Amino acid sequence: DAKTTQPPSMDCAEGRAANLPCNHSTISGNEYVYWYRQIHSQGPQYIIHGLKNNETNEMASLIITEDRKSSTLILPHATLRDTAVYYCIVRVAGAAGNKLTFGGGTRVLVKP
Amino acid sequence: GAVVSQHPSRVICKSGTSVKIECRSLDFQATTMFWYRQFPKKSLMLMATSNEGSKATYEQGVEKDKFLINHASLTLSTLTVTSAHPEDSSFYICSAHGLAGAGLDTQYFGPGTRLTVL
């Protein structure tokens, strides 16, 4: 699976949009971009994934650049409960045995 | 939907004893489950991949005789830490992979089990 690069940490203000970048310059054509987050002392939570089109669900939006070498996860209105480590992972979809390789992630602190 | 449970949530045991952790997919079937370990302030490290009805595949450096994995059904996998020692103290997390046809083509994680070996 392609490696990803994320900033180690970022702060954002409660109620504002949080934009989390991820670089994946070596992504292959059949690899999807997945985002998970892990709140302290809990298991990771799936947020969203996409291949090349922008995606939106009730939690977040995923913006993937046209060349697919980077993406941005957008939390539209950050709350204190969004404080967590956010992981950007690329993997081939469609095969249950395909592993998720977790990097360091971005530690997001939402401040009042 | 796509809920995964783990039991127990935390366990304290004496050195030399064995501990079993259960992972269940509550509302979906999972042919593949994964076990991870996480040390404080570190990222998740995959230990093994478990397929229903077959032997688990362990990652390099993970002792299969120490970390016994059984995936007896499409909703249950167990991890047994045998002869536990203090260095096995960690946060153990399982995940279950849903079915792509059901729109669940990703891993869903349990809440984790904190193991402390005295």
Side-chain angles (χ1 to χ4, degrees):
Chain A
D1 291 341
K3 291 184 178 179
T4 62
T5 304
Q6 299 176 252
S9 65
M10 64 183 294
D11 295 345
C12 60
E14 185 180 22
R16 305 292 294 271
N19 297 305
L20 282 62
C22 180
N23 286 321
H24 30 79
S25 58
T26 60
I27 192 170
S28 300
N30 61 347
E31 288 182 312
Y32 285 66
V33 180
Y34 285 79
W35 283 84
Y36 289 80
R37 72 179 183 184
Q38 186 178 25
I39 296 170
H40 182 63
S41 294
Q42 296 182 24
Q45 176 188 22
Y46 165 76
I47 301 174
I48 198 168
H49 75 283
L51 181 62
K52 55 182 179 181
N53 296 325
N54 297 337
E55 302 288 344
T56 295
N57 63 20
E58 65 278 5
M59 290 184 67
S61 295
L62 173 61
I63 309 298
I64 302 174
T65 58
E66 194 168 339
D67 63 7
R68 302 207 325 122
K69 293 185 177 181
S70 66
S71 61
T72 301
L73 179 75
I74 301 173
L75 307 177
H77 305 286
T79 70
L80 300 180
R81 288 174 295 183
D82 292 323
T83 291
V85 179
Y86 287 76
Y87 295 99
C88 168
I89 301 169
V90 294
R91 71 177 276 267
V92 178
N98 288 342
K99 307 171 189 177
L100 293 173
T101 302
F102 285 81
T106 296
R107 191 172 296 274
V108 173
L109 176 61
V110 180
K111 296 182 174 180
Chain B
V3 178
V4 177
S5 70
Q6 274 185 249
H7 178 79
S9 59
R10 58 179 64 234
V11 56
I12 301 173
C13 70
K14 293 182 179 180
S15 185
T17 60
S18 294
V19 174
K20 180 185 284 188
I21 303 170
E22 290 188 349
C23 176
R24 294 181 184 272
S25 55
L26 297 184
D27 51 2
F28 67 102
Q29 294 183 330
T31 55
T32 304
M33 290 185 169
F34 302 82
W35 287 95
Y36 297 80
R37 182 163 60 175
Q38 186 175 33
F39 293 106
K41 298 188 183 298
K42 300 294 185 182
S43 190
L44 281 78
M45 290 177 49
L46 179 66
M47 298 174 66
T49 302
S50 165
N51 289 297
E52 185 261 341
S54 63
K55 291 184 179 180
T57 301
Y58 290 82
E59 294 298 299
Q60 190 172 7
V62 178
E63 299 176 58
K64 62 179 181 180
D65 294 331
K66 180 167 187 60
F67 299 100
L68 301 179
I69 293 173
N70 183 274
H71 193 158
S73 76
L74 289 174
T75 60
L76 173 64
S77 177
T78 60
L79 168 69
T80 301
V81 183
T82 62
S83 186
H85 292 284
E87 58 265 30
D88 298 323
S89 298
S90 189
F91 192 49
Y92 292 87
I93 307 169
C94 73
S95 71
H97 197 285
L99 298 177
L104 299 174
D105 184 23
T106 188
Q107 292 182 32
Y108 295 91
F109 288 81
T113 296
R114 187 160 305 281
L115 170 63
T116 303
V117 185
L118 301 177

